[in-house]
Amino acid sequence: MADLARMLADGLRENPPKTIGVAVSGGSDSLALLHLLHGFATDHACTLHVATVDHGLRPEAAAEAEMVGDICRNLGVSHEVLHWQGWDRSGNLQNEARKARYLLLADWGRRRQLDVIALGHTADDQAETFLMRLARRAGVDGLSAMPQRFERNGMMWIRPLLHARRAALQEYLTLNGINWADDPSNDDTRYDRVRIRNALAILEGIGVEAGALTVVAQNMTGAKEALTHQMQQIARDHVSLHAGAVEIDVAGLNAQPFEIRRRLIAHALKWVNGAYYAPRSAALGDVMTALATAPSATLQGCELRHLSGKLWIFRELQAVSEITCNIDTLWDGRWRITPPVQFTGKTDGLTLRALGPEGLMLCPDWRDLGLPRGVLLSSPAVWQDARLVAAPLAGASQNWQAVLERGKDTFFAVHITH
């Protein structure tokens, strides 16, 4: 089992983090990760913190979290249980649970001031994910390998055991007398991943096994990186950013292969709406087809509009019209508003919300800015009840400033993660 410890150390030794969070469910993968990381941390003066997410969906979950807590106490490691209580019974359960898990763990990681959070994904997860995405007709991005290190929800995440097989981890636990919990849902064929796992067991007989699929996924990653690099070059030549909106030269865009055009538009949408995932290829393809003849289209909370030889991509007013927050809060996940240096008034009663048509009517010079009306309608404004205090992007700033949390640098420096 020295190979597992070496595999984990190889991914961390070059620049060992000082504080490592570990997501531990009580299953074999995450428990093996915890014990291996505990050994690494002891040798490298790292501090471990453990969290277990209880989704509240199975009666056994509380007992499993308690089991993990007992293990952590024996190891001298802190442990916290995070509870998911926000599901409104809409959407795909497993997908919603996964998103909630990342959010809960990221909040925990920031609170604990962790350098990274480690996840127990294995080569089996890599292979299963590849087949699931293949079944959904995924393209190069979808079939690319899961990264061993990535950023999401403001946290850095690592997968130190991504090349390990689940069977090897279970053997490691057995040899060390460590029990793990088996989630009954892992045998429930109502879930796609379980059916894929069963199919993979059959495919292994003809050589389509986790190792082979991992190699294919890594090949796809290389192709993805090459395409992304080309897209970055095109973006630098043909894209301008204004007031949080993306302006693309249509002639330059249309001169590119379809895949580069698709990637550039998908990247622009993600930059504008802050979504972690790009829209599905089919939905984006439909929008691109529509834009060949129509002046505008909407997708993923954004409006795409042709104006004077440019394709503008900006936040759709409908997507932000109900977002209201205090002026010291990040608005729409994008904008921070700062008052004038000389501002001495009270901020109580001031709120941030979209400028909207009523607010734009109070900005007589907005046409001089040369920006599409839709860009300004969905821009942040400072309000006191129904009174417009400032519209920083629409020519009525009153010395208030609107600054993007993710600025121009984040658009032109594309991070290849998923």
Side-chain angles (χ1 to χ4, degrees):
M1 295 295 105
D3 288 347
L4 290 174
R6 191 179 308 112
M7 178 188 300
L8 181 139
D10 286 345
L12 293 170
R13 185 181 292 133
E14 184 175 339
N15 187 22
K18 296 299 182 184
T19 55
I20 305 176
V22 195
V24 182
S25 66
S28 59
D29 300 350
S30 60
L31 273 182
L33 174 63
L34 169 59
H35 283 84
L36 288 164
L37 274 174
H38 183 259
F40 177 87
T42 301
D43 294 338
H44 294 82
C46 301
T47 302
L48 287 187
H49 298 274
V50 176
T52 301
V53 177
D54 182 352
H55 297 91
L57 301 174
R58 297 184 296 110
E60 307 92 346
E64 292 165 5
E66 186 175 345
M67 177 194 77
V68 175
D70 291 339
I71 292 171
C72 290
R73 275 188 291 275
N74 291 333
L75 293 174
V77 174
S78 71
H79 176 253
E80 189 171 341
V81 181
L82 311 175
H83 296 275
W84 181 37
Q85 299 173 325
W87 189 40
D88 59 3
R89 302 285 168 180
S90 64
N92 178 277
L93 172 58
Q94 288 199 321
N95 184 51
E96 294 302 314
R98 181 170 55 254
K99 289 193 294 186
R101 189 158 56 247
Y102 275 108
L103 283 169
L104 286 168
L105 287 167
D107 289 342
W108 166 74
R110 286 191 294 270
R111 179 160 40 85
R112 289 279 188 174
Q113 297 184 318
L114 302 177
D115 294 330
V116 296
I117 298 177
L119 304 172
H121 294 138
T122 66
D124 299 80
D125 294 305
Q126 183 87 274
E128 292 161 10
T129 300
F130 181 91
L131 288 179
M132 288 177 68
R133 291 174 175 173
L134 186 65
R136 294 171 186 161
R137 314 299 197 269
V140 171
D141 287 19
L143 298 177
S144 296
M146 293 190 290
Q148 288 191 286
R149 177 179 290 265
F150 64 103
E151 188 175 350
R152 179 171 180 172
N153 299 130
M155 275 300 304
M156 184 61 67
W157 308 76
I158 57 173
R159 296 177 171 120
L161 299 176
L162 196 53
H163 296 295
R165 293 300 306 269
R166 182 170 295 123
L169 298 180
Q170 292 179 348
E171 182 182 356
Y172 162 81
L173 293 174
T174 301
L175 288 174
N176 286 277
I178 302 167
N179 296 320
W180 65 88
D182 286 316
D183 184 345
S185 67
N186 288 334
D187 298 317
D188 191 338
T189 54
R190 289 177 299 176
Y191 295 117
D192 290 345
R193 186 170 289 274
V194 176
R195 293 196 296 272
I196 288 290
R197 187 171 299 156
N198 294 339
L200 185 58
I202 298 171
L203 291 172
E204 285 184 346
I206 57 171
V208 183
E209 43 81 35
L213 293 177
T214 296
V215 170
V216 175
Q218 290 169 341
N219 292 340
M220 288 294 185
T221 297
K224 173 185 175 181
E225 290 174 351
L227 289 167
T228 300
H229 176 76
Q230 179 65 18
M231 184 269 284
Q232 285 178 287
Q233 296 299 114
I234 299 306
R236 293 188 181 100
D237 292 339
H238 300 293
V239 172
S240 299
L241 305 178
H242 311 276
V246 179
E247 179 194 27
I248 307 176
D249 179 70
V250 172
L253 180 68
N254 289 342
Q256 308 308 315
F258 175 82
E259 178 61 17
I260 299 300
R261 284 184 279 139
R262 186 194 69 79
R263 283 176 177 275
L264 181 52
I265 293 174
H267 176 60
L269 288 166
K270 285 178 61 181
W271 187 77
V272 169
N273 63 23
Y276 185 73
Y277 290 106
R280 291 193 178 277
S281 295
L284 183 52
D286 290 344
V287 164
M288 292 174 67
T289 299
L291 287 172
T293 55
S296 66
T298 58
L299 181 63
Q300 221 178 29
C302 296
E303 183 173 345
L304 301 89
R305 178 171 290 276
H306 283 295
L307 288 169
S308 303
K310 308 292 183 181
L311 175 63
W312 285 83
I313 300 176
F314 51 89
R315 206 69 163 107
E316 185 184 7
L317 177 59
Q318 183 177 344
V320 297
S321 59
E322 300 299 322
I323 300 176
T324 302
C325 65
N326 297 327
I327 63 168
D328 59 353
T329 303
L330 189 67
W331 185 77
D332 189 31
R334 309 182 72 203
W335 293 101
R336 292 201 182 276
I337 305 297
T338 56
V341 175
Q342 69 275 19
F343 182 78
T344 58
K346 293 184 178 180
T347 59
D348 296 346
L350 298 183
T351 59
L352 292 180
R353 65 176 189 267
L355 182 61
E358 299 86 359
L360 192 62
M361 290 177 61
L362 302 174
C363 304
D365 300 326
W366 70 266
R367 290 180 178 82
D368 297 338
L369 301 172
L371 297 174
R373 180 173 181 270
V375 171
L376 301 176
L377 291 177
S378 58
S379 68
V382 182
W383 295 85
Q384 185 172 46
D385 297 325
R387 182 176 74 86
L388 179 66
V389 175
L393 302 176
S397 70
Q398 312 304 323
N399 292 322
W400 289 70
Q401 292 186 331
V403 180
L404 280 168
E405 182 80 352
R406 302 182 308 278
K408 293 184 178 182
D409 289 349
T410 64
F411 185 92
F412 293 106
V414 183
H415 295 288
I416 306 170
T417 60
H418 65 273

